[in-house]
Amino acid sequence: MIAVAAGPNRIDPYVIPALDGVAYGLLVFVAAAGLVFCFGVANILNLAHGMLYAIGGYTAAAVLDGGWTSLALALGVGVLAAAAAGVLLAGLLTPVATGNHLTQALLTFGVALAGGSLLVAGFGPDDPQVLVPAALDGSVQVAGHRYAAYRLVFIVVAAALAAGLYLTVRRTRAGMLVRAAVDDPEMVACLGVSPTRIRVGVLAAGGALAGAAGVLGAPIIGPGADTADTVLLLSLVVVVLGGLGSMVGTLLAALAIGEIQTLGVALLPSAAPFLLFAAMAAVLAVRARGLALRWVAT
């Protein structure tokens, strides 16, 4: 057992649920970032995004054997498989890439149903067991309370992923092209960069993010028959709350969802199932565009 910090047992009993909320929120952020990226940049509503997360989750269940090597292997395979699925989706969406969102939603929803059924048929209807490395399969002391070591490490890793994603969008040439494509796709085309290649790259990157979230988040959410639907629903709430194309808004919305879900169960268990949507309605009533405006500006 790893001693992180010691403290008196008089500490607020809601500190641990709040910490759980941070872990849950960061998981939702990494899972939803790909969907926000595709919708905000490529203007594609991808309702198969939850299935991409499920691919990562089932990969984790199939590959993880409790060792560090298997964790690295699961992460590599899960990311590549979900990114490949994103590329396949980009190909299927080509005829409707410039069409309305309803057509895109129907097409990707059909893919999600078919893909979800294939995953359940391949891995079975029961939730598979996910084995994390033995060093993380225990608890640590946090402010006088026992806390799952894996979740604590996940918070650090997910925060690093969020920072890496932000820096990639803000500081790299790929991020510059993506940002330029949001404002002026014709100008990007004049630079010799195909908008189609950007769209495929965005969907592949979105799939990779979902796959990484699926592998790392498998001990927290899924995998299971309802995992894809749960992740898609949470991701759509993040899109609405965070504001279209806003990275900071996405992070704030995901953390808010995590805290509402965990603290809501602790404080108001009877109202917990409705708190998330009540909060979403309250935010939209005050700020219809969500918590922030644009991916590139925030």
Side-chain angles (χ1 to χ4, degrees), residues 8-282:
N9 290 326
R10 295 174 300 169
I11 194 168
D12 186 344
Y14 300 116
V15 166
I16 295 303
L19 194 57
D20 261 341
V22 173
Y24 194 84
L26 287 174
L27 172 58
V28 172
F29 170 75
V30 178
L35 178 62
V36 177
F37 208 39
C38 294
F39 197 21
V41 176
N43 197 29
I44 288 177
L45 180 57
N46 177 19
L47 295 187
H49 191 72
M51 183 199 69
L52 301 178
Y53 175 95
I55 289 175
Y58 278 114
T59 300
V63 176
L64 284 176
D65 62 2
W68 290 102
T69 303
S70 66
L71 177 58
L73 180 63
L75 194 56
V77 173
V79 167
L80 289 176
V87 173
L88 179 61
L89 272 172
L92 293 174
L93 285 164
T94 297
V96 297
T98 57
N100 60 53
H101 290 146
L102 178 59
T103 305
Q104 296 170 1
L106 289 174
L107 192 155
T108 54
F109 186 64
V111 172
L113 290 177
S117 298
L118 287 174
L119 288 173
V120 172
F123 292 92
D126 299 326
D127 296 355
Q129 185 180 9
V130 179
L131 300 175
V132 301
L136 303 179
D137 192 20
S139 62
V140 298
Q141 289 290 326
V142 178
H145 292 260
R146 297 175 68 85
Y147 191 72
Y150 183 83
R151 290 194 176 218
L152 198 60
V153 172
F154 177 83
I155 289 174
V156 176
V157 174
L161 281 175
L165 180 60
Y166 179 82
L167 292 175
T168 299
V169 173
R170 297 287 299 178
R171 304 293 184 186
T172 67
R173 174 176 169 78
M176 179 192 69
L177 289 173
V178 166
R179 285 153 41 208
V182 177
D183 293 326
D184 195 343
E186 290 78 12
M187 183 272 290
V188 173
C190 290
L191 293 176
V193 180
S194 167
T196 300
R197 289 176 58 189
I198 292 180
R199 184 178 67 252
V200 172
V202 166
L203 282 165
L209 281 170
V215 172
L216 296 174
I220 302 174
I221 298 180
D226 298 328
T227 299
D229 295 338
T230 300
V231 171
L232 176 62
L233 177 61
L234 291 173
S235 299
L236 289 175
V237 173
V238 167
V239 169
V240 174
L241 278 181
L244 184 60
S246 169
M247 180 186 294
V248 176
T250 300
L251 179 60
L252 292 176
L255 290 174
I257 287 173
E259 296 299 342
I260 290 171
Q261 291 284 73
T262 54
L263 286 177
V265 171
L267 294 170
L268 298 169
S270 59
F274 314 104
L275 286 177
L276 179 60
F277 298 102
M280 182 176 69

Side-chain angles (χ1 to χ4, degrees), residues 267-297:
L267 294 170
L268 298 169
S270 59
F274 314 104
L275 286 177
L276 179 60
F277 298 102
M280 182 176 69
V283 170
L284 295 180
V286 176
R287 190 179 175 88
R289 292 181 177 180
L291 297 174
L293 295 181
R294 292 173 65 80
W295 182 284
V296 294

